[in-house]
Amino acid sequence: MLDIRKKTEAEYLEAFERLPKYRQEKATKYRRRCDRYGCVFSYDLLLDMLSSVTELSRDALIIETDRRGKPRLANSPIMFSISHTDGFVACAVGEEPVGIDIETPRDISGKVLEKVLSKEERSYVLGKGEIGDKQAEKGSEISAKFLRIWTSKEAYLKCTGEGLSHLEKARVTVDGDSLGLWDSSYSLISESTDEYFLAIVKADCIWYF
């Protein structure tokens, strides 16, 4: 995980120039500065990590996609996942499928809470409360608990390569304040601070983040 909140425009441009053209084109499509920075610095971090793990130069790394559209390193067992949010980027690399997601605190609408959460997840997030039309404000306990659940779900779907269209498969278990996954073939690491929420999902593998 890398904090990019203090990155300068000069550092951004330097990292931008190190990226392959297709990633540069993707970065320039973002309208918000924080999204452009996240796109560039997350991929820059990824290439550094892959180069370190494989002992290949960055120029020798070839990124391709599998049949589900999940990115992977060509001609290598090494797999990876990246994520970026306002001010932070994160990357995970392993020898089996891995998924990572990072989010910063934000407001959560009642409609999103209703749509995303299972009955067990809703009980963890809301307690005995009802969703209604209320909004969970940034920094509130409800918003924080939801983002722990959400990052876990998104990391799982990145790991499996199924995407958000299969959100119903990403079921999170709750034991006190500890989170896990219904799909026992994967394991979950969840970390949260006042500044970000991070989740990593992996199969049994050697991995780095």
Side-chain angles (χ1 to χ4, degrees):
M1 194 273 291
L2 180 65
D3 183 343
I4 62 171
R5 289 174 293 181
K6 294 183 179 180
K7 292 290 187 180
T8 65
E9 184 72 10
E11 290 174 307
Y12 167 79
L13 292 173
E14 182 181 350
F16 182 90
E17 290 300 322
R18 291 196 296 264
L19 299 185
K21 185 176 181 180
Y22 65 86
R23 191 67 180 190
Q24 292 177 342
E25 292 174 347
K26 182 174 182 178
T28 58
K29 292 179 181 178
Y30 285 109
R31 299 182 64 182
R32 297 197 310 161
R33 176 181 181 274
C34 63
D35 293 329
R36 292 194 300 272
Y37 273 47
C39 181
V40 166
F41 286 112
S42 61
Y43 212 76
D44 192 51
L45 175 62
L46 169 67
L47 294 180
D48 280 346
M49 290 182 66
L50 289 176
S51 179
S52 176
V53 170
T54 62
E55 298 183 344
L56 295 173
S57 70
R58 288 172 53 125
D59 290 341
L61 300 171
I62 300 174
I63 307 298
E64 60 182 14
T65 56
D66 63 17
R67 59 184 178 82
R68 288 179 169 176
K70 181 178 172 64
R72 59 175 295 160
L73 185 61
N75 304 313
S76 172
I78 298 297
M79 305 187 78
F80 62 86
S81 179
I82 60 176
S83 180
H84 61 87
T85 189
D86 293 357
F88 296 93
V89 300
C91 178
V93 175
E95 294 182 355
E96 295 291 341
V98 62
I100 193 167
D101 188 50
I102 188 167
E103 304 282 349
T104 49
R106 65 173 188 269
D107 296 339
I108 308 296
S109 71
K111 289 182 179 180
V112 170
L113 293 170
E114 183 72 42
K115 181 179 180 179
V116 169
L117 301 175
S118 69
K119 183 177 180 180
E120 181 182 9
E121 294 161 358
R122 191 176 303 172
S123 178
Y124 165 72
V125 172
L126 298 173
K128 296 181 180 180
E130 297 293 332
I131 294 176
D133 295 325
K134 295 181 180 179
Q135 177 172 278
E137 295 182 355
K138 175 181 175 180
S140 69
E141 183 179 4
I142 290 176
S143 175
K145 286 185 174 181
F146 172 83
L147 287 169
R148 289 190 70 203
I149 295 286
W150 175 255
T151 51
S152 301
K153 287 175 175 286
E154 188 158 352
Y156 171 80
L157 292 172
K158 284 184 175 183
C159 185
T160 63
E162 293 175 294
L164 293 177
S165 61
H166 295 273
L167 188 61
E168 74 283 352
K169 294 184 179 181
R171 297 181 62 190
V172 178
T173 62
V174 181
D175 182 8
D177 199 45
S178 297
L179 304 183
L181 298 168
W182 275 98
D183 189 342
S184 60
S185 57
Y186 297 88
S187 58
L188 166 68
I189 295 174
S190 176
E191 176 185 327
S192 59
T193 71
D194 292 338
E195 298 181 321
Y196 64 83
F197 300 85
L198 175 72
I200 304 169
V201 171
K202 64 184 183 70
D204 292 333
C205 60
I206 300 172
W207 59 287
Y208 317 87
F209 71 94

